[in-house]
Amino acid sequence: MSQNGKIEKWLADLDIDTFGVADMSLYGEEITGIGDLTVGELPFAVSFGIVLSRGILETLSDGPTQLYLHHYRQLNYRLDMIAYFLGRSIEREGFRAVPFAASQVVDWQRQRGHINHKKVGVMAGLGWIGRNNLLVHPVFGARARYNTVLTDMPLEADTRLEEDCGSCIRCLEICPAGAIRMEPALFDHHGCYDMLSRFRKERNIGHHICGVCVKACGGKS
Ligand code: B12
C-alpha cells in the first residue's frame, strides 16, 4: 500500500469526513510550539476535518447555545484524539509526526494557534476561504472543524481547489455582528470578536464561539 493509502486507511478507521495532504514548503508562515524542528524536517501536513451535527446546528438561531458549546468541546476533543492516533500510527512506521490541537490559542494578542488549520486545509485542497473567513468545503461548506498533523512520512501532496463562494451571501445576510463583506479579505475580525466576547459573557458560554455563519454555510450539497 502507498504511504498516502496508509494515511487514508488510518483516517477512515478514525471516521473522519475529509482529509488532504499539504506540501509545507509552500506554507510561508511561522509555526510555533515545534521546538527546534522546522518544516524542512516535517515537510508534509495531513489536514483532516469532521462535520458538525446538522441537528445541533439546526437548534441555533442568533448565536451560541449551551448545546452548541458542548458540541464544540466534544469535536475539539475528538479532533485532538484523531491527531494523536494518526501521529502514533505514523510513528509506528518509523517516521516523525507532530499532532496539533484543534482549538488552542497560544498568542492571544495576535489571536493565533500553533498552526493555521484553515490555511493548511486550503493548501491540502479541502476548500477555500469564504466570505465568512472560514474554510469552505465544496460539500460540507463551513460545517466542519479541522486539525493538522505534521510529518516527514514521504507523501504525495494535493493541490488547491480553484473555487470560491460565487454569489452566495447567506452568511453575510445573517451574521449577528455584520462582520461579513462581499470580499473575503474585508472580513471585520474585530467586529466578529466583539460579538463573540458579548456572547461569551451574556450567554454564559465562556468561549469565543457563535456558530451562526457556520450554520448558514452548508456548502453546495
Ligand atoms: C484564534 C482563533 C479564533 C479567534 C480569532 C479568529 C482569527 N481571525 O483567526 C476567534 C476567537 C475570534 C475565533 C472565532 C471563531 N472561530 Co476560531 N480559531 C482560532 C484558532 C484557534 C487559531 C486561528 C489562527 O491561528 N489564525 C491564524 C491567523 C493568522 O489567521 P487569519 O484569520 O488569517 O489572520 C487574521 C487574524 O489573526 C487577524 N487578527 C490579527 N490580530 C487580531 C486581533 C484580534 C482581537 C482579532 C479578532 C483578529 C486579529 O488578522 C489576520 C489577518 O486578517 C483556530 C484553530 C487553528 N489553530 O487554526 C480556530 C478556527 C479558525 N476557528 C474556527 C471556528 C469555527 C470559529 C468560529 C465560527 C467560532 C465557533 N466555533 O462558533 C468563530 C468564527 C470567526 C470567523 N468567522 O472567522 C475553526 C474554523 C473551521 C472552518 N471550517 O474554517 C478553526 C480552524 C478551529 C477548528 N479546529 O476547526 N477563532
Side-chain angles (χ1 to χ4, degrees), residues 131-132 136 139-143 165 167-175 180 182 212-221:
R131 296 197 164 94
N132 54 11
V136 178
V139 176
F140 307 124
R143 295 177 168 197
C165 298
S167 58
C168 179
I169 53 166
R170 285 197 300 259
C171 62
L172 184 152
E173 288 173 333
I174 206 165
C175 170
I180 300 174
M182 284 306 281
V212 173
C213 66
V214 175
K215 176 185 178 183
C217 182
K220 293 177 182 170
S221 64

mmCIF file with all atom_site columns, all heavy atoms in Angstrom, residues 131-132 136 139-143 165 167-175 180 182 212-221:
data_model
loop_
_atom_site.group_PDB
_atom_site.id
_atom_site.type_symbol
_atom_site.label_atom_id
_atom_site.label_alt_id
_atom_site.label_comp_id
_atom_site.label_asym_id
_atom_site.label_entity_id
_atom_site.label_seq_id
_atom_site.pdbx_PDB_ins_code
_atom_site.Cartn_x
_atom_site.Cartn_y
_atom_site.Cartn_z
_atom_site.occupancy
_atom_site.B_iso_or_equiv
_atom_site.pdbx_formal_charge
_atom_site.auth_seq_id
_atom_site.auth_comp_id
_atom_site.auth_asym_id
_atom_site.auth_atom_id
_atom_site.pdbx_PDB_model_num
ATOM 1   N N   . ARG A 1 131 ? -16.409 34.041 2.362  1.00 0.00 ? 131 ARG A N   1
ATOM 2   C CA  . ARG A 1 131 ? -16.734 35.388 2.867  1.00 0.00 ? 131 ARG A CA  1
ATOM 3   C C   . ARG A 1 131 ? -16.788 35.393 4.392  1.00 0.00 ? 131 ARG A C   1
ATOM 4   O O   . ARG A 1 131 ? -16.537 36.406 5.024  1.00 0.00 ? 131 ARG A O   1
ATOM 5   C CB  . ARG A 1 131 ? -18.100 35.840 2.334  1.00 0.00 ? 131 ARG A CB  1
ATOM 6   C CG  . ARG A 1 131 ? -18.126 35.982 0.844  1.00 0.00 ? 131 ARG A CG  1
ATOM 7   C CD  . ARG A 1 131 ? -19.298 36.810 0.339  1.00 0.00 ? 131 ARG A CD  1
ATOM 8   N NE  . ARG A 1 131 ? -18.972 37.154 -1.021 1.00 0.00 ? 131 ARG A NE  1
ATOM 9   C CZ  . ARG A 1 131 ? -19.368 36.447 -2.090 1.00 0.00 ? 131 ARG A CZ  1
ATOM 10  N NH1 . ARG A 1 131 ? -20.164 35.409 -1.960 1.00 0.00 ? 131 ARG A NH1 1
ATOM 11  N NH2 . ARG A 1 131 ? -18.972 36.804 -3.290 1.00 0.00 ? 131 ARG A NH2 1
ATOM 12  N N   . ASN A 1 132 ? -17.175 34.244 4.963  1.00 0.00 ? 132 ASN A N   1
ATOM 13  C CA  . ASN A 1 132 ? -17.279 34.142 6.425  1.00 0.00 ? 132 ASN A CA  1
ATOM 14  C C   . ASN A 1 132 ? -15.920 33.929 7.094  1.00 0.00 ? 132 ASN A C   1
ATOM 15  O O   . ASN A 1 132 ? -15.886 33.647 8.288  1.00 0.00 ? 132 ASN A O   1
ATOM 16  C CB  . ASN A 1 132 ? -18.249 33.012 6.797  1.00 0.00 ? 132 ASN A CB  1
ATOM 17  C CG  . ASN A 1 132 ? -17.878 31.686 6.145  1.00 0.00 ? 132 ASN A CG  1
ATOM 18  O OD1 . ASN A 1 132 ? -16.785 31.556 5.575  1.00 0.00 ? 132 ASN A OD1 1
ATOM 19  N ND2 . ASN A 1 132 ? -18.766 30.717 6.228  1.00 0.00 ? 132 ASN A ND2 1
ATOM 20  N N   . VAL A 1 136 ? -14.214 26.755 3.577  1.00 0.00 ? 136 VAL A N   1
ATOM 21  C CA  . VAL A 1 136 ? -15.465 26.275 2.998  1.00 0.00 ? 136 VAL A CA  1
ATOM 22  C C   . VAL A 1 136 ? -15.168 25.069 2.111  1.00 0.00 ? 136 VAL A C   1
ATOM 23  O O   . VAL A 1 136 ? -14.435 25.172 1.119  1.00 0.00 ? 136 VAL A O   1
ATOM 24  C CB  . VAL A 1 136 ? -16.166 27.393 2.189  1.00 0.00 ? 136 VAL A CB  1
ATOM 25  C CG1 . VAL A 1 136 ? -17.443 26.876 1.546  1.00 0.00 ? 136 VAL A CG1 1
ATOM 26  C CG2 . VAL A 1 136 ? -16.474 28.588 3.091  1.00 0.00 ? 136 VAL A CG2 1
ATOM 27  N N   . VAL A 1 139 ? -18.505 20.316 -0.357 1.00 0.00 ? 139 VAL A N   1
ATOM 28  C CA  . VAL A 1 139 ? -19.691 19.531 0.033  1.00 0.00 ? 139 VAL A CA  1
ATOM 29  C C   . VAL A 1 139 ? -20.213 19.953 1.407  1.00 0.00 ? 139 VAL A C   1
ATOM 30  O O   . VAL A 1 139 ? -21.418 20.149 1.598  1.00 0.00 ? 139 VAL A O   1
ATOM 31  C CB  . VAL A 1 139 ? -19.363 18.007 0.055  1.00 0.00 ? 139 VAL A CB  1
ATOM 32  C CG1 . VAL A 1 139 ? -20.561 17.210 0.555  1.00 0.00 ? 139 VAL A CG1 1
ATOM 33  C CG2 . VAL A 1 139 ? -18.940 17.533 -1.330 1.00 0.00 ? 139 VAL A CG2 1
ATOM 34  N N   . PHE A 1 140 ? -19.328 20.130 2.375  1.00 0.00 ? 140 PHE A N   1
ATOM 35  C CA  . PHE A 1 140 ? -19.774 20.381 3.757  1.00 0.00 ? 140 PHE A CA  1
ATOM 36  C C   . PHE A 1 140 ? -19.863 21.865 4.095  1.00 0.00 ? 140 PHE A C   1
ATOM 37  O O   . PHE A 1 140 ? -20.271 22.224 5.200  1.00 0.00 ? 140 PHE A O   1
ATOM 38  C CB  . PHE A 1 140 ? -18.816 19.706 4.748  1.00 0.00 ? 140 PHE A CB  1
ATOM 39  C CG  . PHE A 1 140 ? -18.605 18.241 4.475  1.00 0.00 ? 140 PHE A CG  1
ATOM 40  C CD1 . PHE A 1 140 ? -17.331 17.720 4.286  1.00 0.00 ? 140 PHE A CD1 1
ATOM 41  C CD2 . PHE A 1 140 ? -19.691 17.388 4.385  1.00 0.00 ? 140 PHE A CD2 1
ATOM 42  C CE1 . PHE A 1 140 ? -17.138 16.377 4.019  1.00 0.00 ? 140 PHE A CE1 1
ATOM 43  C CE2 . PHE A 1 140 ? -19.513 16.036 4.122  1.00 0.00 ? 140 PHE A CE2 1
ATOM 44  C CZ  . PHE A 1 140 ? -18.235 15.522 3.935  1.00 0.00 ? 140 PHE A CZ  1
ATOM 45  N N   . GLY A 1 141 ? -19.469 22.730 3.171  1.00 0.00 ? 141 GLY A N   1
ATOM 46  C CA  . GLY A 1 141 ? -19.471 24.156 3.471  1.00 0.00 ? 141 GLY A CA  1
ATOM 47  C C   . GLY A 1 141 ? -18.548 24.447 4.639  1.00 0.00 ? 141 GLY A C   1
ATOM 48  O O   . GLY A 1 141 ? -17.454 23.875 4.751  1.00 0.00 ? 141 GLY A O   1
ATOM 49  N N   . ALA A 1 142 ? -19.007 25.329 5.545  1.00 0.00 ? 142 ALA A N   1
ATOM 50  C CA  . ALA A 1 142 ? -18.179 25.672 6.721  1.00 0.00 ? 142 ALA A CA  1
ATOM 51  C C   . ALA A 1 142 ? -18.515 24.775 7.907  1.00 0.00 ? 142 ALA A C   1
ATOM 52  O O   . ALA A 1 142 ? -18.022 24.993 9.002  1.00 0.00 ? 142 ALA A O   1
ATOM 53  C CB  . ALA A 1 142 ? -18.389 27.129 7.095  1.00 0.00 ? 142 ALA A CB  1
ATOM 54  N N   . ARG A 1 143 ? -19.368 23.765 7.669  1.00 0.00 ? 143 ARG A N   1
ATOM 55  C CA  . ARG A 1 143 ? -19.836 22.937 8.787  1.00 0.00 ? 143 ARG A CA  1
ATOM 56  C C   . ARG A 1 143 ? -18.880 21.818 9.165  1.00 0.00 ? 143 ARG A C   1
ATOM 57  O O   . ARG A 1 143 ? -19.302 20.678 9.406  1.00 0.00 ? 143 ARG A O   1
ATOM 58  C CB  . ARG A 1 143 ? -21.197 22.354 8.432  1.00 0.00 ? 143 ARG A CB  1
ATOM 59  C CG  . ARG A 1 143 ? -22.258 23.419 8.283  1.00 0.00 ? 143 ARG A CG  1
ATOM 60  C CD  . ARG A 1 143 ? -23.560 22.798 7.869  1.00 0.00 ? 143 ARG A CD  1
ATOM 61  N NE  . ARG A 1 143 ? -24.663 23.741 7.992  1.00 0.00 ? 143 ARG A NE  1
ATOM 62  C CZ  . ARG A 1 143 ? -25.931 23.385 8.007  1.00 0.00 ? 143 ARG A CZ  1
ATOM 63  N NH1 . ARG A 1 143 ? -26.257 22.111 7.909  1.00 0.00 ? 143 ARG A NH1 1
ATOM 64  N NH2 . ARG A 1 143 ? -26.882 24.287 8.117  1.00 0.00 ? 143 ARG A NH2 1
ATOM 65  N N   . CYS A 1 165 ? -16.938 31.184 -3.244 1.00 0.00 ? 165 CYS A N   1
ATOM 66  C CA  . CYS A 1 165 ? -18.344 31.202 -2.797 1.00 0.00 ? 165 CYS A CA  1
ATOM 67  C C   . CYS A 1 165 ? -19.310 31.639 -3.901 1.00 0.00 ? 165 CYS A C   1
ATOM 68  O O   . CYS A 1 165 ? -20.535 31.604 -3.697 1.00 0.00 ? 165 CYS A O   1
ATOM 69  C CB  . CYS A 1 165 ? -18.508 32.141 -1.607 1.00 0.00 ? 165 CYS A CB  1
ATOM 70  S SG  . CYS A 1 165 ? -17.568 31.661 -0.158 1.00 0.00 ? 165 CYS A SG  1
ATOM 71  N N   . SER A 1 167 ? -21.837 33.610 -5.874 1.00 0.00 ? 167 SER A N   1
ATOM 72  C CA  . SER A 1 167 ? -22.720 34.722 -5.475 1.00 0.00 ? 167 SER A CA  1
ATOM 73  C C   . SER A 1 167 ? -23.401 34.470 -4.128 1.00 0.00 ? 167 SER A C   1
ATOM 74  O O   . SER A 1 167 ? -24.264 35.252 -3.721 1.00 0.00 ? 167 SER A O   1
ATOM 75  C CB  . SER A 1 167 ? -23.772 34.927 -6.573 1.00 0.00 ? 167 SER A CB  1
ATOM 76  O OG  . SER A 1 167 ? -24.470 33.700 -6.732 1.00 0.00 ? 167 SER A OG  1
ATOM 77  N N   . CYS A 1 168 ? -23.042 33.386 -3.450 1.00 0.00 ? 168 CYS A N   1
ATOM 78  C CA  . CYS A 1 168 ? -23.728 33.040 -2.191 1.00 0.00 ? 168 CYS A CA  1
ATOM 79  C C   . CYS A 1 168 ? -23.425 34.071 -1.102 1.00 0.00 ? 168 CYS A C   1
ATOM 80  O O   . CYS A 1 168 ? -22.267 34.352 -0.800 1.00 0.00 ? 168 CYS A O   1
ATOM 81  C CB  . CYS A 1 168 ? -23.302 31.656 -1.717 1.00 0.00 ? 168 CYS A CB  1
ATOM 82  S SG  . CYS A 1 168 ? -24.106 31.190 -0.160 1.00 0.00 ? 168 CYS A SG  1
ATOM 83  N N   . ILE A 1 169 ? -24.480 34.617 -0.488 1.00 0.00 ? 169 ILE A N   1
ATOM 84  C CA  . ILE A 1 169 ? -24.284 35.606 0.590  1.00 0.00 ? 169 ILE A CA  1
ATOM 85  C C   . ILE A 1 169 ? -25.099 35.236 1.839  1.00 0.00 ? 169 ILE A C   1
ATOM 86  O O   . ILE A 1 169 ? -25.460 36.100 2.634  1.00 0.00 ? 169 ILE A O   1
ATOM 87  C CB  . ILE A 1 169 ? -24.635 37.037 0.119  1.00 0.00 ? 169 ILE A CB  1
ATOM 88  C CG1 . ILE A 1 169 ? -26.042 37.100 -0.482 1.00 0.00 ? 169 ILE A CG1 1
ATOM 89  C CG2 . ILE A 1 169 ? -23.581 37.566 -0.840 1.00 0.00 ? 169 ILE A CG2 1
ATOM 90  C CD1 . ILE A 1 169 ? -26.563 38.523 -0.648 1.00 0.00 ? 169 ILE A CD1 1
ATOM 91  N N   . ARG A 1 170 ? -25.391 33.928 1.991  1.00 0.00 ? 170 ARG A N   1
ATOM 92  C CA  . ARG A 1 170 ? -26.200 33.506 3.154  1.00 0.00 ? 170 ARG A CA  1
ATOM 93  C C   . ARG A 1 170 ? -25.571 33.944 4.472  1.00 0.00 ? 170 ARG A C   1
ATOM 94  O O   . ARG A 1 170 ? -26.251 34.424 5.373  1.00 0.00 ? 170 ARG A O   1
ATOM 95  C CB  . ARG A 1 170 ? -26.396 31.983 3.145  1.00 0.00 ? 170 ARG A CB  1
ATOM 96  C CG  . ARG A 1 170 ? -27.389 31.491 2.113  1.00 0.00 ? 170 ARG A CG  1
ATOM 97  C CD  . ARG A 1 170 ? -27.849 30.079 2.417  1.00 0.00 ? 170 ARG A CD  1
ATOM 98  N NE  . ARG A 1 170 ? -26.738 29.145 2.431  1.00 0.00 ? 170 ARG A NE  1
ATOM 99  C CZ  . ARG A 1 170 ? -26.421 28.321 1.441  1.00 0.00 ? 170 ARG A CZ  1
ATOM 100 N NH1 . ARG A 1 170 ? -27.146 28.312 0.343  1.00 0.00 ? 170 ARG A NH1 1
ATOM 101 N NH2 . ARG A 1 170 ? -25.405 27.507 1.550  1.00 0.00 ? 170 ARG A NH2 1
ATOM 102 N N   . CYS A 1 171 ? -24.228 33.765 4.605  1.00 0.00 ? 171 CYS A N   1
ATOM 103 C CA  . CYS A 1 171 ? -23.562 34.131 5.868  1.00 0.00 ? 171 CYS A CA  1
ATOM 104 C C   . CYS A 1 171 ? -23.585 35.641 6.071  1.00 0.00 ? 171 CYS A C   1
ATOM 105 O O   . CYS A 1 171 ? -23.805 36.121 7.187  1.00 0.00 ? 171 CYS A O   1
ATOM 106 C CB  . CYS A 1 171 ? -22.131 33.596 5.885  1.00 0.00 ? 171 CYS A CB  1
ATOM 107 S SG  . CYS A 1 171 ? -21.073 34.258 4.581  1.00 0.00 ? 171 CYS A SG  1
ATOM 108 N N   . LEU A 1 172 ? -23.388 36.374 4.983  1.00 0.00 ? 172 LEU A N   1
ATOM 109 C CA  . LEU A 1 172 ? -23.335 37.841 5.056  1.00 0.00 ? 172 LEU A CA  1
ATOM 110 C C   . LEU A 1 172 ? -24.673 38.395 5.568  1.00 0.00 ? 172 LEU A C   1
ATOM 111 O O   . LEU A 1 172 ? -24.710 39.310 6.389  1.00 0.00 ? 172 LEU A O   1
ATOM 112 C CB  . LEU A 1 172 ? -23.010 38.383 3.663  1.00 0.00 ? 172 LEU A CB  1
ATOM 113 C CG  . LEU A 1 172 ? -22.798 39.869 3.438  1.00 0.00 ? 172 LEU A CG  1
ATOM 114 C CD1 . LEU A 1 172 ? -21.859 40.077 2.246  1.00 0.00 ? 172 LEU A CD1 1
ATOM 115 C CD2 . LEU A 1 172 ? -24.096 40.599 3.171  1.00 0.00 ? 172 LEU A CD2 1
ATOM 116 N N   . GLU A 1 173 ? -25.772 37.780 5.115  1.00 0.00 ? 173 GLU A N   1
ATOM 117 C CA  . GLU A 1 173 ? -27.091 38.289 5.485  1.00 0.00 ? 173 GLU A CA  1
ATOM 118 C C   . GLU A 1 173 ? -27.438 38.019 6.936  1.00 0.00 ? 173 GLU A C   1
ATOM 119 O O   . GLU A 1 173 ? -28.250 38.719 7.520  1.00 0.00 ? 173 GLU A O   1
ATOM 120 C CB  . GLU A 1 173 ? -28.150 37.647 4.575  1.00 0.00 ? 173 GLU A CB  1
ATOM 121 C CG  . GLU A 1 173 ? -28.091 38.180 3.169  1.00 0.00 ? 173 GLU A CG  1
ATOM 122 C CD  . GLU A 1 173 ? -29.009 37.432 2.204  1.00 0.00 ? 173 GLU A CD  1
ATOM 123 O OE1 . GLU A 1 173 ? -29.292 36.233 2.449  1.00 0.00 ? 173 GLU A OE1 1
ATOM 124 O OE2 . GLU A 1 173 ? -29.419 38.047 1.214  1.00 0.00 ? 173 GLU A OE2 1
ATOM 125 N N   . ILE A 1 174 ? -26.812 36.990 7.521  1.00 0.00 ? 174 ILE A N   1
ATOM 126 C CA  . ILE A 1 174 ? -27.268 36.536 8.839  1.00 0.00 ? 174 ILE A CA  1
ATOM 127 C C   . ILE A 1 174 ? -26.281 36.797 9.972  1.00 0.00 ? 174 ILE A C   1
ATOM 128 O O   . ILE A 1 174 ? -26.639 36.682 11.155 1.00 0.00 ? 174 ILE A O   1
ATOM 129 C CB  . ILE A 1 174 ? -27.631 35.030 8.733  1.00 0.00 ? 174 ILE A CB  1
ATOM 130 C CG1 . ILE A 1 174 ? -28.654 34.686 9.786  1.00 0.00 ? 174 ILE A CG1 1
ATOM 131 C CG2 . ILE A 1 174 ? -26.419 34.137 8.768  1.00 0.00 ? 174 ILE A CG2 1
ATOM 132 C CD1 . ILE A 1 174 ? -29.345 33.372 9.569  1.00 0.00 ? 174 ILE A CD1 1
ATOM 133 N N   . CYS A 1 175 ? -25.049 37.192 9.674  1.00 0.00 ? 175 CYS A N   1
ATOM 134 C CA  . CYS A 1 175 ? -24.020 37.388 10.718 1.00 0.00 ? 175 CYS A CA  1
ATOM 135 C C   . CYS A 1 175 ? -24.524 38.380 11.776 1.00 0.00 ? 175 CYS A C   1
ATOM 136 O O   . CYS A 1 175 ? -24.823 39.527 11.457 1.00 0.00 ? 175 CYS A O   1
ATOM 137 C CB  . CYS A 1 175 ? -22.732 37.911 10.084 1.00 0.00 ? 175 CYS A CB  1
ATOM 138 S SG  . CYS A 1 175 ? -21.514 38.437 11.324 1.00 0.00 ? 175 CYS A SG  1
ATOM 139 N N   . ILE A 1 180 ? -19.373 40.384 7.938  1.00 0.00 ? 180 ILE A N   1
ATOM 140 C CA  . ILE A 1 180 ? -19.033 39.720 6.666  1.00 0.00 ? 180 ILE A CA  1
ATOM 141 C C   . ILE A 1 180 ? -19.289 40.651 5.480  1.00 0.00 ? 180 ILE A C   1
ATOM 142 O O   . ILE A 1 180 ? -20.326 41.318 5.415  1.00 0.00 ? 180 ILE A O   1
ATOM 143 C CB  . ILE A 1 180 ? -19.824 38.392 6.565  1.00 0.00 ? 180 ILE A CB  1
ATOM 144 C CG1 . ILE A 1 180 ? -19.438 37.490 7.755  1.00 0.00 ? 180 ILE A CG1 1
ATOM 145 C CG2 . ILE A 1 180 ? -19.571 37.697 5.224  1.00 0.00 ? 180 ILE A CG2 1
ATOM 146 C CD1 . ILE A 1 180 ? -20.227 36.215 7.881  1.00 0.00 ? 180 ILE A CD1 1
ATOM 147 N N   . MET A 1 182 ? -18.631 41.293 0.994  1.00 0.00 ? 182 MET A N   1
ATOM 148 C CA  . MET A 1 182 ? -18.569 40.549 -0.269 1.00 0.00 ? 182 MET A CA  1
ATOM 149 C C   . MET A 1 182 ? -17.163 40.034 -0.514 1.00 0.00 ? 182 MET A C   1
ATOM 150 O O   . MET A 1 182 ? -16.961 38.938 -1.011 1.00 0.00 ? 182 MET A O   1
ATOM 151 C CB  . MET A 1 182 ? -18.995 41.433 -1.452 1.00 0.00 ? 182 MET A CB  1
ATOM 152 C CG  . MET A 1 182 ? -20.478 41.675 -1.568 1.00 0.00 ? 182 MET A CG  1
ATOM 153 S SD  . MET A 1 182 ? -21.437 40.135 -1.595 1.00 0.00 ? 182 MET A SD  1
ATOM 154 C CE  . MET A 1 182 ? -21.223 39.602 -3.287 1.00 0.00 ? 182 MET A CE  1
ATOM 155 N N   . VAL A 1 212 ? -23.310 30.947 13.969 1.00 0.00 ? 212 VAL A N   1
ATOM 156 C CA  . VAL A 1 212 ? -24.347 31.362 13.017 1.00 0.00 ? 212 VAL A CA  1
ATOM 157 C C   . VAL A 1 212 ? -23.843 31.289 11.568 1.00 0.00 ? 212 VAL A C   1
ATOM 158 O O   . VAL A 1 212 ? -24.533 30.773 10.685 1.00 0.00 ? 212 VAL A O   1
ATOM 159 C CB  . VAL A 1 212 ? -24.877 32.776 13.378 1.00 0.00 ? 212 VAL A CB  1
ATOM 160 C CG1 . VAL A 1 212 ? -25.831 33.286 12.302 1.00 0.00 ? 212 VAL A CG1 1
ATOM 161 C CG2 . VAL A 1 212 ? -25.587 32.732 14.728 1.00 0.00 ? 212 VAL A CG2 1
ATOM 162 N N   . CYS A 1 213 ? -22.610 31.756 11.309 1.00 0.00 ? 213 CYS A N   1
ATOM 163 C CA  . CYS A 1 213 ? -22.094 31.690 9.928  1.00 0.00 ? 213 CYS A CA  1
ATOM 164 C C   . CYS A 1 213 ? -21.702 30.260 9.550  1.00 0.00 ? 213 CYS A C   1
ATOM 165 O O   . CYS A 1 213 ? -21.638 29.921 8.370  1.00 0.00 ? 213 CYS A O   1
ATOM 166 C CB  . CYS A 1 213 ? -20.947 32.670 9.692  1.00 0.00 ? 213 CYS A CB  1
ATOM 167 S SG  . CYS A 1 213 ? -19.427 32.341 10.605 1.00 0.00 ? 213 CYS A SG  1
ATOM 168 N N   . VAL A 1 214 ? -21.458 29.428 10.558 1.00 0.00 ? 214 VAL A N   1
ATOM 169 C CA  . VAL A 1 214 ? -21.174 28.008 10.297 1.00 0.00 ? 214 VAL A CA  1
ATOM 170 C C   . VAL A 1 214 ? -22.467 27.338 9.811  1.00 0.00 ? 214 VAL A C   1
ATOM 171 O O   . VAL A 1 214 ? -22.493 26.639 8.798  1.00 0.00 ? 214 VAL A O   1
ATOM 172 C CB  . VAL A 1 214 ? -20.646 27.313 11.577 1.00 0.00 ? 214 VAL A CB  1
ATOM 173 C CG1 . VAL A 1 214 ? -20.471 25.829 11.346 1.00 0.00 ? 214 VAL A CG1 1
ATOM 174 C CG2 . VAL A 1 214 ? -19.344 27.954 12.055 1.00 0.00 ? 214 VAL A CG2 1
ATOM 175 N N   . LYS A 1 215 ? -23.544 27.595 10.539 1.00 0.00 ? 215 LYS A N   1
ATOM 176 C CA  . LYS A 1 215 ? -24.841 27.016 10.174 1.00 0.00 ? 215 LYS A CA  1
ATOM 177 C C   . LYS A 1 215 ? -25.287 27.471 8.782  1.00 0.00 ? 215 LYS A C   1
ATOM 178 O O   . LYS A 1 215 ? -25.797 26.675 7.988  1.00 0.00 ? 215 LYS A O   1
ATOM 179 C CB  . LYS A 1 215 ? -25.896 27.433 11.201 1.00 0.00 ? 215 LYS A CB  1
ATOM 180 C CG  . LYS A 1 215 ? -27.288 26.952 10.857 1.00 0.00 ? 215 LYS A CG  1
ATOM 181 C CD  . LYS A 1 215 ? -28.326 27.476 11.830 1.00 0.00 ? 215 LYS A CD  1
ATOM 182 C CE  . LYS A 1 215 ? -29.709 27.001 11.404 1.00 0.00 ? 215 LYS A CE  1
ATOM 183 N NZ  . LYS A 1 215 ? -30.778 27.537 12.262 1.00 0.00 ? 215 LYS A NZ  1
ATOM 184 N N   . ALA A 1 216 ? -25.062 28.773 8.500  1.00 0.00 ? 216 ALA A N   1
ATOM 185 C CA  . ALA A 1 216 ? -25.540 29.336 7.227  1.00 0.00 ? 216 ALA A CA  1
ATOM 186 C C   . ALA A 1 216 ? -24.858 28.719 6.017  1.00 0.00 ? 216 ALA A C   1
ATOM 187 O O   . ALA A 1 216 ? -25.396 28.731 4.911  1.00 0.00 ? 216 ALA A O   1
ATOM 188 C CB  . ALA A 1 216 ? -25.299 30.848 7.216  1.00 0.00 ? 216 ALA A CB  1
ATOM 189 N N   . CYS A 1 217 ? -23.654 28.173 6.236  1.00 0.00 ? 217 CYS A N   1
ATOM 190 C CA  . CYS A 1 217 ? -22.836 27.731 5.107  1.00 0.00 ? 217 CYS A CA  1
ATOM 191 C C   . CYS A 1 217 ? -22.833 26.215 4.983  1.00 0.00 ? 217 CYS A C   1
ATOM 192 O O   . CYS A 1 217 ? -21.937 25.539 5.468  1.00 0.00 ? 217 CYS A O   1
ATOM 193 C CB  . CYS A 1 217 ? -21.416 28.273 5.297  1.00 0.00 ? 217 CYS A CB  1
ATOM 194 S SG  . CYS A 1 217 ? -20.301 27.865 3.963  1.00 0.00 ? 217 CYS A SG  1
ATOM 195 N N   . GLY A 1 218 ? -23.865 25.699 4.314  1.00 0.00 ? 218 GLY A N   1
ATOM 196 C CA  . GLY A 1 218 ? -23.996 24.242 4.146  1.00 0.00 ? 218 GLY A CA  1
ATOM 197 C C   . GLY A 1 218 ? -23.320 23.740 2.891  1.00 0.00 ? 218 GLY A C   1
ATOM 198 O O   . GLY A 1 218 ? -23.505 22.602 2.510  1.00 0.00 ? 218 GLY A O   1
ATOM 199 N N   . GLY A 1 219 ? -22.526 24.591 2.224  1.00 0.00 ? 219 GLY A N   1
ATOM 200 C CA  . GLY A 1 219 ? -21.834 24.159 1.018  1.00 0.00 ? 219 GLY A CA  1
ATOM 201 C C   . GLY A 1 219 ? -22.799 24.019 -0.141 1.00 0.00 ? 219 GLY A C   1
ATOM 202 O O   . GLY A 1 219 ? -23.897 24.559 -0.121 1.00 0.00 ? 219 GLY A O   1
ATOM 203 N N   . LYS A 1 220 ? -22.366 23.281 -1.167 1.00 0.00 ? 220 LYS A N   1
ATOM 204 C CA  . LYS A 1 220 ? -23.171 23.181 -2.386 1.00 0.00 ? 220 LYS A CA  1
ATOM 205 C C   . LYS A 1 220 ? -23.989 21.899 -2.415 1.00 0.00 ? 220 LYS A C   1
ATOM 206 O O   . LYS A 1 220 ? -24.555 21.538 -3.427 1.00 0.00 ? 220 LYS A O   1
ATOM 207 C CB  . LYS A 1 220 ? -22.251 23.271 -3.599 1.00 0.00 ? 220 LYS A CB  1
ATOM 208 C CG  . LYS A 1 220 ? -21.621 24.648 -3.710 1.00 0.00 ? 220 LYS A CG  1
ATOM 209 C CD  . LYS A 1 220 ? -20.657 24.747 -4.867 1.00 0.00 ? 220 LYS A CD  1
ATOM 210 C CE  . LYS A 1 220 ? -20.016 26.127 -4.907 1.00 0.00 ? 220 LYS A CE  1
ATOM 211 N NZ  . LYS A 1 220 ? -18.919 26.209 -5.845 1.00 0.00 ? 220 LYS A NZ  1
ATOM 212 N N   . SER A 1 221 ? -23.973 21.169 -1.268 1.00 0.00 ? 221 SER A N   1
ATOM 213 C CA  . SER A 1 221 ? -24.687 19.868 -1.267 1.00 0.00 ? 221 SER A CA  1
ATOM 214 C C   . SER A 1 221 ? -26.175 20.081 -0.993 1.00 0.00 ? 221 SER A C   1
ATOM 215 O O   . SER A 1 221 ? -26.571 21.086 -0.444 1.00 0.00 ? 221 SER A O   1
ATOM 216 C CB  . SER A 1 221 ? -24.100 18.969 -0.199 1.00 0.00 ? 221 SER A CB  1
ATOM 217 O OG  . SER A 1 221 ? -24.303 19.519 1.079  1.00 0.00 ? 221 SER A OG  1
#
